[in-house]
Amino acid sequence: MAGGNARGAGADTPVLEVSRYSLSYATPSVPVHALKNIDLRVTHGQTHGLVGESGSGKSSLAWAILRYLPENAIENDGRLLLSGENLRNRTHPQILEIRGRRISMVFQDPSTSLNPAMRLGEQLSEVLIRHRGLTLQEALEESEAALARTGIAKPGDMLRRYPHEASGGEKQRVVIATAFACNPELIVFDEPTTALDIITAQQILELFNQLQDETSISALYISHDLGLVSRVADVVSVINSGEIVESGPCAEVFRTPRNDYTKALLDAVPNPKQWLGVSEPPSEAPALMSAKGVTVEYGRQSLLGQLLAPKPTHLGAQKVSIEVRKGELVGLVGESGSGKSTMGKVLSGLQDFDGIVRFGDRDFARLAEIDRAYRRAVQIVFQHPDASLNPRQRVREILSRPLKLYDIVPREQRAERIAKLLEQVRLPREFADRLPHQLSGGEKQRVAIARAFAAEPELVICDEITASLDVSVQASVAELLVSLQRQTGTACLFITHDLNLVRQLAHRICVMQHGKLMDAFHRDDVEGPDRNPYTRALLKAVPPPASQAA
């Protein structure tokens, strides 16, 4: 089938050939070099993995192949060939015909690929009508069949939905169905599972492997997740600072890496057998915080509202009981929609609830009872620092706010305390003068962690704080958190969908699904015989270390 895609090219001609290709971006000062003399080939029916951290140039290469570069892009005279045809000398109308028909792309966040004002069936049909010349009725029938192939249970119903009425996994299945629908020569996957929880990501991965086996379509699979790439790729190229530093068969590169950068990436992958956490708290350590029978109902209406215009409600948490002891790190694990972030908001005083939250020797039965002392003692770090750091404030102002709010140190000592907070999270003192947009994702998250610890809390709640970070940055942030807990004795509730990572950090692990607490156990009992089936499903979905999976 792949051979039929070649548009007349010889069987030995690569589907994609990138040769000596370089790319820079013009800036007011000096050009920024994104890609340097890239050589890469994708053959018929092959999945070629491209691995690297944020800023390595992997997404720039994808945009270059799609010929979707900004006006300040500067290219050298390298080659970008699709089945032997030069993409760089095609006109804009020709490129529009190539995109979707001969090259498709699956993006990281499906929400950015789908028009929120159009039904999903309209969007899929539009591609089939444009690139395959189908009638509207033919396109709708083929759209339903394409969704059925992705495993969507009721494809006809899905076609009638708008994007906001579908889950992240369902939306990504629609995008993948669209990418495969025109039987292109090449599909570029740009971090297609990063925005998904671990079980949904595994399902998408299995879907990709199934469709690739059925169609023999060639693919360039871009990711920073080495374990994931080892599950799908035949060959892999490792890119660092715009240069490919190592390339070869997946098993060979991951099992016996030659380049130091590749070795560092592999070393950063979470290893559940490598304990990074602080020593065990005493078995008789008292509970610092506990939740007893906590229920959160979203969409709750007043009695009048229920009578006039009743709307469905759903439970974000249902009679959940958990506790965190002094000096303990507890992992709270589950997929998207499990209720783990809901519990994080309840315990940090951001979400109303039914039930009892006990902190120390005080009980709180509703959000209105949460007071200033509680809010200082319990701090939260969110997943996306861009959403929690004021873009108009310098780091100095961001870190000074809890110092002022809770009168941590006298005014004349704040500058020195801010400098020490930055050093604690391993950032230079001079970062105090920077704005958030001048920091990398990992640096911004360190500032958010420093702000939480600035209040000298007794408990820090970390809500998916490593989910959007590269594997090496994730490892450094996790190690930093353990170091801070060791220094301060602060307890931690670590919310995540990454069971491999939390097994490195947590003393105890709690597992949630559909708003309910399904399992709770000591880290040494994670594979015990009495584990809940859902816990076992999470364990199965975790990609093994790349060196073992290849």
Side-chain angles (χ1 to χ4, degrees):
M1 199 170 201
N5 282 344
R7 309 291 189 267
D12 295 332
T13 303
V15 172
L16 174 69
E17 183 175 8
V18 181
S19 178
R20 309 301 293 171
Y21 179 79
S22 296
L23 173 69
S24 299
Y25 296 110
T27 70
S29 51
V30 295
V32 175
H33 300 288
L35 298 169
K36 306 167 189 174
N37 294 321
I38 298 294
D39 289 314
L40 183 146
R41 290 161 58 96
V42 182
T43 60
H44 295 283
Q46 182 186 72
T47 298
H48 193 123
L50 183 63
V51 175
E53 300 173 277
S54 294
S56 62
K58 55 189 190 297
S59 291
S60 286
L61 180 58
W63 291 120
I65 293 167
L66 270 291
R67 308 310 301 151
Y68 202 79
L69 292 170
E71 292 183 359
N72 66 332
I74 305 168
E75 299 177 282
N76 72 346
D77 58 358
R79 298 193 302 170
L80 299 172
L81 305 181
L82 178 66
S83 297
E85 300 177 20
N86 190 349
L87 291 170
R88 294 188 58 184
N89 63 16
R90 293 294 182 264
T91 64
H92 183 64
Q94 288 173 327
I95 290 296
L96 292 179
E97 287 301 314
I98 289 171
R99 290 184 200 144
R101 179 67 189 97
R102 298 182 62 188
I103 304 177
S104 293
M105 188 161 181
V106 177
F107 296 92
Q108 175 176 336
D109 185 353
S111 298
T112 63
S113 307
L114 298 169
N115 188 329
M118 292 176 64
R119 297 182 191 274
L120 296 171
E122 295 175 278
Q123 301 188 54
L124 217 170
S125 299
E126 185 179 61
V127 174
L128 293 167
I129 293 169
R130 174 180 174 83
H131 293 297
R132 287 178 52 182
L134 303 185
T135 65
L136 177 58
Q137 185 59 38
E138 290 171 337
L140 287 172
E141 291 174 359
E142 178 57 31
S143 294
E144 186 168 350
L147 288 189
R149 287 193 291 272
T150 70
I152 289 178
K154 296 180 179 179
D157 291 346
M158 185 62 66
L159 292 176
R160 291 187 284 274
R161 294 186 193 177
Y162 287 94
H164 74 272
E165 298 174 312
S167 69
E170 288 170 336
K171 284 185 280 195
Q172 196 64 296
R173 287 174 187 269
V174 172
V175 173
I176 289 174
T178 305
F180 276 89
C182 293
N183 192 29
E185 295 159 61
L186 177 72
I187 300 181
V188 179
F189 291 84
D190 190 6
E191 302 273 13
T193 63
T194 299
L196 305 176
D197 65 75
I198 194 165
I199 287 185
T200 306
Q202 182 201 29
Q203 294 168 348
I204 294 298
L205 212 60
E206 291 171 350
L207 170 63
F208 166 75
N209 282 331
Q210 169 201 327
L211 293 175
Q212 210 277 337
D213 287 344
E214 292 174 0
T215 62
S216 295
I217 283 175
S218 305
L220 179 64
Y221 198 101
I222 297 170
S223 181
H224 68 261
D225 189 327
L226 282 73
L228 186 150
V229 168
S230 69
R231 287 186 172 190
V232 299
D234 303 302
V235 297
V236 64
S237 295
V238 181
I239 186 169
N240 179 27
S241 301
E243 297 183 80
I244 291 181
V245 297
E246 187 162 3
S247 189
C250 208
E252 179 183 315
V253 170
F254 287 153
R255 286 179 183 160
T256 55
R258 300 184 305 274
N259 185 269
D260 288 342
Y261 177 72
T262 309
K263 293 175 183 177
L265 285 181
L266 288 166
D267 288 342
V269 175
N271 182 350
K273 296 181 180 179
Q274 182 184 359
W275 171 242
L276 299 178
V278 297
S279 59
E280 294 278 355
S283 57
E284 70 274 15
L288 174 69
M289 168 180 279
S290 64
K292 298 179 181 179
V294 166
T295 295
V296 174
E297 186 176 4
Y298 290 118
R300 180 187 294 177
Q301 296 174 282
S302 65
L303 180 60
L304 180 61
Q306 293 175 39
L307 292 173
L308 296 178
K311 296 178 181 179
T313 62
H314 76 275
L315 296 176
Q318 187 173 353
K319 296 183 178 179
V320 176
S321 297
I322 61 174
E323 71 172 25
V324 182
R325 295 194 288 268
K326 288 188 175 182
E328 187 179 41
L329 194 153
V330 174
L332 186 57
V333 181
E335 57 190 309
S336 296
S338 64
K340 59 189 190 297
S341 290
T342 294
M343 286 303 300
K345 291 175 183 175
V346 167
L347 297 177
S348 57
L350 298 175
Q351 172 65 51
D352 210 350
F353 61 93
D354 294 319
I356 297 293
V357 171
R358 165 163 282 202
F359 188 77
D361 58 359
R362 299 179 62 196
D363 287 347
F364 301 88
R366 55 196 180 97
L367 182 62
E369 297 176 3
I370 302 295
D371 59 11
R372 178 186 177 89
Y374 185 104
R375 293 190 183 282
R376 173 185 171 176
V378 182
Q379 295 287 310
I380 186 167
V381 183
F382 296 98
Q383 176 176 348
H384 299 293
D386 283 324
S388 60
L389 300 180
N390 189 328
R392 297 183 179 182
Q393 289 187 340
R394 299 190 182 276
V395 170
R396 180 188 317 283
E397 298 168 278
I398 292 169
L399 296 184
S400 68
R401 188 172 188 277
L403 300 179
K404 296 175 186 175
L405 186 62
Y406 302 115
D407 197 23
I408 303 295
V409 293
R411 180 185 183 93
E412 63 274 11
Q413 295 179 19
R414 286 176 192 158
E416 183 60 24
R417 176 58 65 92
I418 289 168
K420 288 182 177 178
L421 283 168
L422 289 172
E423 289 177 351
Q424 268 192 309
V425 296
R426 298 167 193 172
L427 291 175
R429 288 183 169 219
E430 54 268 26
F431 272 38
D433 294 319
R434 295 196 179 184
L435 292 164
H437 76 268
Q438 297 173 306
L439 306 176
S440 69
E443 290 167 345
K444 281 184 278 195
Q445 198 61 290
R446 287 170 185 265
V447 171
I449 292 171
R451 180 176 60 183
F453 277 87
E456 298 181 350
E458 296 177 58
L459 173 69
V460 172
I461 298 171
C462 298
D463 189 4
E464 296 277 16
I465 65 170
T466 62
S468 59
L469 304 177
D470 297 320
V471 63
S472 59
V473 181
Q474 170 186 285
S476 65
V477 169
E479 193 276 328
L480 168 66
L481 184 65
V482 169
S483 176
L484 286 171
Q485 193 193 15
R486 185 182 297 116
Q487 294 171 34
T488 64
T490 305
C492 180
L493 180 67
F494 193 90
I495 299 170
T496 182
H497 66 260
D498 191 336
L499 200 49
N500 257 359
L501 177 63
V502 82
R503 287 173 66 185
Q504 287 191 291
L505 308 176
H507 299 104
R508 289 187 302 113
I509 299 171
C510 299
V511 178
M512 290 189 68
Q513 182 188 30
H514 302 321
K516 297 180 180 180
L517 185 69
M518 307 301 292
D519 213 348
F521 48 90
H522 189 274
R523 64 182 180 87
D524 293 337
D525 298 329
V526 68
E527 295 178 359
D530 55 346
R531 289 287 63 78
N532 184 276
Y534 179 65
T535 304
R536 296 187 185 281
L538 285 176
L539 284 168
K540 184 179 178 182
V542 174
S547 58
Q548 297 176 18

